Each structure stands twice: as C-alpha cells, then as structure tokens.
C-alpha cells in the first residue's frame, strides 16, 4: 500500500556516460503530477478524475470551423502575436466582460495555452534575483517557471477549508527584491475565488510597492453560485502593471488544442512577445481562425458557469452519503474532498491506493505545496459525463 515513493519518484540528474554529470536546472522536479496520475489511472483501469480535462466533445460547429479554415488554406505560420481576427474578438469580449478598453494590436498575445502564457510572461519580466510571491497550493508550473528564469519564488501557504489570503502576511513578505505577485482565480486546485476585497488589497500592495501582478484567470467562466469573477482587468489603476492569462481549452472544452492568451499593457506586451517569439513563435493557425469565429457568439461561452455548476451539484449529490467531506467549491472544475476520519494515509499514498485498489484516480493536493502540507484532501475533476460521475460517486460512497 505504501508504494507511492516509486510512483512519485524524482528523476535523477541527467548524465552522459561514465562520471560525466550534467547539471540539472530542476534537480528536485519529477514528472508532472497530472501525467503521473493519468498514467496510473490508465494502467489500473481506474476512472480518471485526476488530471483536469473534460471528457465530453468539443462543439461540432467549432470542429467544422477548423476544417473550413484548413480547407481555406490557413495552414502556414500565424502572425507571431496571434491571428488579428482572433485578437480582435478577444479584445471585444474583454471590453464587454470586464469593461476594459483593450487594443488588440498592442495588448493581446495568443499563446500555446495558459502554461506558455505564464512562462513567457515570467521569462520576459522576471530577472535574476527577483522575488515572486505565489500562493500554495500553487499550480505546478509556477515555481519552476520562476526558477528557470532566475527568479526566487516566495511561497505563502493557504489552507483548507477556505484557502483565503492573509494580506498582512503578503505585506510582510514584500521586500525590495519583490518583482511580481502571482494570483489564480478561480483557483486550481482549491476551487476558491478571490473577492473584490481581495483584489483591493492586492491593488494597494501592488501600487505601493510597484509590483507586477500576474493573474491566472483560465477558469474565468467556470464560477458558481452567482459569484462574479473578479478579473484583475477591472482595476484600471493597475493598468501598467498587470498581466492576465486566459485559456480557450477551459472555455471551449478543448484542452488539447493548447491555445490561450495574455492581456497586458502595450509596454508589458512588447516584452512578453519578445519571449513568446522565441518560445513558440506562433500558435496553430486554423485553430485561431476557427476560435475567432466561434468566440464571436456570446452564447458559446456565457452558459459555461451554469453548465459546470450542474456538474458540481450532480457530483455532490452522488456522494451525499459518503464519508468523504466536500470543501466549498466556487469555481474551476475541481472539487476537493476531505478523507479525514477515513484513512491515516498521506494524500499521495491515498491517491495511489485509491487508483490501484478502488479504481478511482484523484490528485493529492500536497503536491501543490512546496512544504508538502498534507491536509488529507484530494482533488476530483468533475468535468465528466454523468455516467462517469455516478460511477465515481458509487466508489466514494463505499469507502
Ligand atoms: N490543468 C490541468 C489540471 O489542473 C492539468 C494540465 C496538465 O496536465 N498539465 O489538472
């Protein structure tokens, strides 16, 4: 049962031939938890609620649009910052949604998903020795992106059940070296969302200390219970120091297409593009043309919150009698469940054991803490069809 060590084993430093060690830039980093758990789920024929991705189809209309654009000959390199038609629609949607006038020529950059958007932003704007404040549990790419670019991550722990930010603690952690604060709302893995009050605190700290704010908002449209997404873009006083990151994968059920974008001031965007052009150069062309047409129809994204709220509620309904206790989930497509009282295993052990023995794969959230904080909580992705959620519910009820 306690064999998670091998599952989560870190890779040893690379080496070429006898005695010739190659210095790893990330010696303590292993394979991403999402790959590890999805592979384990596959090997053990388990229901995979670990890695976050929808198991339902992308709209046929959108798929047809890609065919149409491929047939129309849109198959060569897209312009480095993104197809203008797509950037134009993005800026219109941003204006409509967040009342922020956005110039598509100078403020929007299409990236290979949210992860590239984050990496390019950090590569462009964080220098050696800069400190970047981030909140744990933090998405797995944040810390390595900071360190690969010479920055120093300053982790602040947020804990269950509400994962709220103590802004005084943030003030205390700001030093003369702090360059950036990273936030994520709706939050992966916790499902927490930042409030207007949080954003005001963040704004005050960023303005006072002249900090950049990198706001990962890839789940902007997956928000529940009549809560409103508090985008950093709604804070004009911060206009010159914010970078917001979004993702089509989450909004249009197409995580495998890897298309996202950044919105930032022209000065910041110029810098981001300098990195982006050497990291991916440009993003898949027919997909961008298709997304431009599809995103122009608000009905294609406006009902997403309702759609996923139903899924969350359906999942919670299935596990009503279970000993697993749900934590509040206001956004994202992840539900945290506490197994306190069910098992003494660590989160990693529990995730592996459940996958192998119960045929249901979750994600331990301790992996998102630099200090491995273990709260006996697992993350379950509910972006799945009802049959899958029902089966997962049966397993959870029997434990
Ligand atoms: N964002 C997805 C999740 O949180 C994983 C993406 C990935 O596998 N890199 O589960």
């Amino acid at each position: 049962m306690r064999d998670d060590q091998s599952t989560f084993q870190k890779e040893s430093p690379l080496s070429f031939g006898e005695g010739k060690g190659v210095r790893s830039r990330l010696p303590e980093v292993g394979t991403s938890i999402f790959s590890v758990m999805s592979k384990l789920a596959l090997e053990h024929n388990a229901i995979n609620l670990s890695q976050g991705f929808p198991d339902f189809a992308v709209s046929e209309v959108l798929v047809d649009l890609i065919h149409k654009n491929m047939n129309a000959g849109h198959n060569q390199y897209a312009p480095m910052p993104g197809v203008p038609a797509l950037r134009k629609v993005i800026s219109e949607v941003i204006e409509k949604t967040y009342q922020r006038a956005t110039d598509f020529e100078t403020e929007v950059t299409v990236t290979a998903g949210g992860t590239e958007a984050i990496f390019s932003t950090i590569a462009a704007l964080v220098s050696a020795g800069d400190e970047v404040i981030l909140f744990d549990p933090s998405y797995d790419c944040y810390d390595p992106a900071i360190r690969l670019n010479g920055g120093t991550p300053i982790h602040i722990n947020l804990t269950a059940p509400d994962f709220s930010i103590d802004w005084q603690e943030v003030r205390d952690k700001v030093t003369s070296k702090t360059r950036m604060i990273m936030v994520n709302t709706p939050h992966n893995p916790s499902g927490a969302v930042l409030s207007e009050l949080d954003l005001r605190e963040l704004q005050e700290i960023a303005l006072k200390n002249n900090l950049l704010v990198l706001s990962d908002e890839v789940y902007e449209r997956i928000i529940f219970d009549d809560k409103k997404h508090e985008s950093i873009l709604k804070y004009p006083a911060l206009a010159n120091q914010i970078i917001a990151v979004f993702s089509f994968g989450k909004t249009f059920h197409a995580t495998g297409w890897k298309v996202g974008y950044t919105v930032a001031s022209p000065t910041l965007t110029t810098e981001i593009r300098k990195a982006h052009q050497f990291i991916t150069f440009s993003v898949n062309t027919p997909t961008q043309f298709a997304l431009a047409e599809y995103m122009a129809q608000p009905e294609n994204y406006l009902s997403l919150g309702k759609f996923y709220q139903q899924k969350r509620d359906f999942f919670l309904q299935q596990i009503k009698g279970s000993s697993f206790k749900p934590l509040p989930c206001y956004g994202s497509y992840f539900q945290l469940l506490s197994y306190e009282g069910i098992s003494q295993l660590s989160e990693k052990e529990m995730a592996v054991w459940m996958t192998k023995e119960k045929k249901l794969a979750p994600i331990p959230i301790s992996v998102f803490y630099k200090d491995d904080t273990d709260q006996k909580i697992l993350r379950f992705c509910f972006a799945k069809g009802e049959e899958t959620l029902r089966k997962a519910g049966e397993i959870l009820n029997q434990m």
Side-chain angles (χ1 to χ4, degrees):
M1 190 150 46
R2 291 175 174 269
D3 56 357
D4 71 290
Q5 289 317 333
S6 56
T7 308
F8 296 100
Q9 204 165 42
K10 312 288 186 199
E11 269 139 34
S12 53
L14 299 168
S15 62
F16 286 123
E18 284 300 300
K20 278 202 168 180
V22 169
R23 207 158 21 114
S24 169
R25 304 264 327 266
L26 299 170
E28 69 302 320
V29 167
T31 304
S32 143
I33 187 68
F34 309 117
S35 311
V36 169
M37 291 309 300
S38 275
K39 182 165 171 269
L40 200 67
L42 200 68
E43 279 167 11
H44 292 274
N45 205 13
I47 297 175
N48 187 6
L49 301 193
S50 64
Q51 188 179 27
F53 61 89
D55 74 348
F56 24 85
V58 172
S59 151
E60 267 177 41
V61 175
L62 186 47
V63 172
D64 286 347
L65 282 170
I66 296 201
H67 285 158
K68 188 187 94 176
N69 281 289
M70 281 183 169
N71 286 329
H74 293 304
N75 298 306
Q76 306 310 324
Y77 295 124
M80 178 275 281
V83 164
L86 177 57
R87 283 184 286 128
K88 199 156 185 297
V89 179
I90 290 171
S91 70
E92 285 161 10
V93 171
I94 294 282
E95 289 196 38
K96 249 190 288 180
T97 313
Y98 303 120
Q99 293 74 51
R100 177 201 190 269
T102 301
D103 179 356
F104 76 94
E105 292 286 16
T106 57
E107 298 189 300
V108 178
T109 307
V110 179
T111 58
T115 300
E116 194 250 315
I118 288 163
F119 194 90
S120 291
T121 299
I122 292 172
L125 300 170
V126 171
S127 303
D130 284 348
E131 291 179 357
V132 179
I133 292 178
L134 70 165
F135 301 96
D136 286 358
S138 56
Y139 189 61
D140 69 340
C141 76
Y142 294 179
D143 176 285
I146 297 164
R147 289 187 295 122
L148 279 174
N149 289 294
T152 306
I154 306 294
H155 292 257
I156 293 180
N157 276 8
L158 310 180
T159 49
D162 57 356
F163 298 89
S164 59
I165 296 176
D166 173 350
W167 292 102
Q168 191 48 50
E169 188 179 355
V170 179
R171 284 186 187 89
D172 295 344
K173 290 268 163 68
V174 172
T175 71
S176 58
K177 291 188 185 155
T178 311
R179 171 77 172 143
M180 178 186 276
I181 302 186
M182 292 177 76
V183 290
N184 173 212
T185 185
H187 187 259
N188 178 10
S190 78
V193 299
L194 293 180
S195 67
E196 190 184 334
L197 216 64
D198 288 313
L199 272 279
R200 293 206 176 284
E201 294 266 28
L202 174 61
Q203 170 168 268
E204 199 225 56
I205 295 169
L207 285 175
K208 183 164 173 237
N209 300 284
N210 200 20
L211 305 178
L212 295 170
V213 177
L214 173 48
S215 184
D216 175 352
E217 304 184 13
V218 297
Y219 297 98
E220 63 174 328
R221 302 210 175 266
I222 309 182
I223 185 156
F224 315 130
D225 306 327
D226 295 322
K227 292 211 179 284
K228 270 195 109 57
H229 172 56
E230 273 301 311
S231 176
I232 196 76
L233 296 176
K234 295 201 306 198
Y235 293 79
L238 285 174
N240 294 325
Q241 52 203 95
I242 56 182
I243 307 95
V245 169
F246 301 95
S247 157
F248 288 109
K250 315 298 187 282
T251 302
F252 297 138
H253 311 319
T255 58
W257 294 3
K258 296 298 297 176
V259 189
Y261 52 97
T262 59
V263 178
S265 72
T267 310
L268 293 176
T269 295
T270 300
E271 296 307 311
I272 292 167
R273 288 178 184 174
K274 286 182 194 174
H276 164 73
Q277 68 184 339
F278 299 128
I279 291 171
T280 57
F281 181 63
S282 67
V283 174
N284 186 306
T285 310
T287 309
Q288 291 192 61
F289 276 98
L291 286 168
E293 288 184 56
Y294 195 71
M295 196 191 196
Q297 309 299 327
E299 65 271 20
N300 290 334
Y301 53 80
L302 283 183
S303 56
L304 200 67
K306 221 167 118 205
F307 173 83
Y308 274 116
Q309 183 168 332
Q310 264 168 15
K311 296 234 165 262
R312 180 202 63 177
D313 294 346
F314 182 83
F315 183 53
L316 289 178
Q317 188 61 33
Q318 302 311 300
I319 57 163
K320 231 171 170 182
S322 160
S323 305
F324 282 85
K325 293 286 165 272
L327 277 74
C329 164
Y330 299 112
S332 83
Y333 43 51
F334 303 112
Q335 175 66 54
L336 297 186
L337 298 179
S338 161
Y339 61 91
E340 212 166 38
I342 299 178
S343 168
Q344 291 304 314
L345 292 178
S346 72
E347 291 176 9
K348 287 182 190 172
E349 290 167 338
M350 187 69 170
V352 171
W353 179 75
M354 280 180 65
T355 307
K356 290 183 177 172
E357 305 300 328
K358 297 291 168 184
K359 308 295 176 200
L360 175 61
I363 291 274
I365 71 158
S366 56
V367 299
F368 302 111
Y369 287 93
K370 186 178 162 48
D371 64 6
D372 281 328
T373 294
D374 198 302
Q375 302 166 96
K376 310 262 178 279
I377 294 170
L378 299 169
R379 190 196 81 170
F380 297 80
C381 173
F382 55 80
K384 308 293 170 191
E386 291 201 346
E387 201 36 44
T388 303
L389 294 178
R390 192 175 297 121
K391 281 191 196 145
E394 272 170 27
I395 295 171
L396 290 166
N397 288 339
Q398 283 161 9
M399 286 178 62

